[in-house]
Amino acid sequence: MKVLLVGNGGREHAIAKKLLESTRIKQVFCVPGNGGTATTKGCQNLSLNIDDFQGMERFVMVNNIGLVIVGPELPLSLGIVDYFQQKKLMAFGPTQAGAQIESSKSWAKQLMLEAGIPTPKAAVFTNPEAAKAYVVEQGTPIVIKADGLASGKGVTVATTVKIAHSAINTIFRGEFGTDNIRVVVEEYVTGQEVSILALTDGITVEPLLPAQDHKAIGEGDKGANTGGMGAYAPAPIVTPELMERIQTEILEPTLAALQKRKIDYRGVLYAGLMITDEGELQVLEFNCRFGDPETQAVLSLLETPLEDLLLACCKQRLGDFAEIRWKSGAAVCVVLASGGYPGSYEKGKTITGIEAAEAKGAEVFHAGTQLKQQQLVTDGGRVLGVTAVGETFEQAIAKAYEAVDCIEFEGVYCRRDIGRRALADKS
Ligand SMILES: Nc1ncnc2c1ncn2[C@@H]1O[C@H](COP(=O)(O)OP(=O)(O)O)[C@@H](O)[C@H]1O
Ligand SMILES: [Mg+2]
């Protein structure tokens, strides 16, 4: 089978490499892909835009592609899966209606309230003055969220009224879109965040291994938020008992609420949760796709062929799987970023040492890289995800950093404490 994979991040490189482990997968075409997918045997990049559905359709028809896999939220929210479904072509991911669970935080909040899913109290405003008055009434800390897709930049955890008001002003200035502007003002909760990526075919929902990511740029979770500086799985804080509760209190009721809205949701349902110190679950958000960099860690441990699972979601046959099989042990993904990220940074720096890193037993997934005149160069803020599997977290962490130390490019930065929280949670 040949696959068309939409996206250009570390997540997509990890998905492509996982698929190619199977002898059934002949070739993976990436739209537009990155330096990693350009150099992986069996992968090929196509110079099409991720919103060029017609161009992709033409390629799929001419090349007899069996499955389209959509990585990022943007094409999902633009209706790429609806488009392919209308053409009777198989595409993995929710429809535009389903993708609203990520593309509109107010829509998701309403769904959660109706379904009785534990989530922080919130109010939705279309008027900035009303939102500001509510902030004053509630007090701080408080969380201000832009309603639509904002590439991870739409949420402010405000410690003062002034910060909250300024975040509201930014949203209503149209920073995250000018159509139908809304803001969600949400109660602040504390605890540990976990990412639960689940697969669903619209009938059954099957969680993958629980993961945690490290969003802040600095060690000890200090500094600005990023797209994610690393991840690990399985997160020890999610005990089997807690996983059972996540299944029955969150995943199943969410799917039922989607069904009630006549949404046939097939794809990844990703719950971003806070586990409070009292052991309470709180859903902060849902995403409609694989997480990045959680996917790099989680897929490294997957044993069941990925294409079987994704096809089962598309064909409503996920219930056929008695269980999803996993390797034992732990996986850690350390992100190497460009100096200056998440602020401004330079691109085009020569990358060396990837082979040496992989010789240490790690796998290097590319994110912001590009192949330029046969030379691999940096092309984004998050450049590489160095991922290692070990029998224990100690081993996985040691192996990942040994590999990290082989790689060089000008300005390279990484956090040195990825996965350390897992060690603390275990003891
Ligand atoms: N209610 C909340 N209480 C405390 N922190 C929150 C809350 N909601 C979000 N956050 C923090 O903000 C981050 C981003 O919020 P999230 O809803 O996941 O939006 P997005 O991923 O779209 O930026 C979360 O990962 C979490 O660290
Ligand atoms: Mg989030």
Side-chain angles (χ1 to χ4, degrees), residues 154-177:
V155 171
T156 303
V157 176
T159 47
T160 66
V161 169
K162 198 171 159 202
I163 295 170
H165 282 188
S166 141
I168 291 167
N169 285 338
T170 305
I171 291 168
F172 281 96
R173 256 203 318 270
E175 187 91 9
F176 307 107

Side-chain angles (χ1 to χ4, degrees), residues 263-301:
I263 294 173
D264 183 5
Y265 192 107
R266 306 182 197 185
V268 175
L269 180 64
Y270 161 160
L273 308 180
M274 190 77 92
I275 301 173
T276 67
D277 297 339
E278 294 77 39
E280 247 185 281
L281 299 171
Q282 296 278 352
V283 179
L284 301 185
E285 67 159 352
F286 282 108
N287 293 319
C288 64
R289 35 87 194 167
F290 283 106
D292 190 332
E294 295 96 320
T295 298
Q296 289 85 311
V298 169
L299 290 190
S300 295
L301 294 169

Side-chain angles (χ1 to χ4, degrees), residues 105 120 143 145 152 155 186-189 193 215 284-285:
K105 289 194 190 291
V143 186
K145 299 187 173 187
V155 171
E186 189 170 280
E187 179 193 356
Y188 172 78
V189 290
E193 285 185 66
K215 286 184 216 300
L284 301 185
E285 67 159 352

Side-chain angles (χ1 to χ4, degrees), residues 5 64 85 122 160 245 295 306 381:
L5 175 61
N64 199 16
Q85 279 180 356
T160 66
R245 282 183 51 205
T295 298
L306 179 60

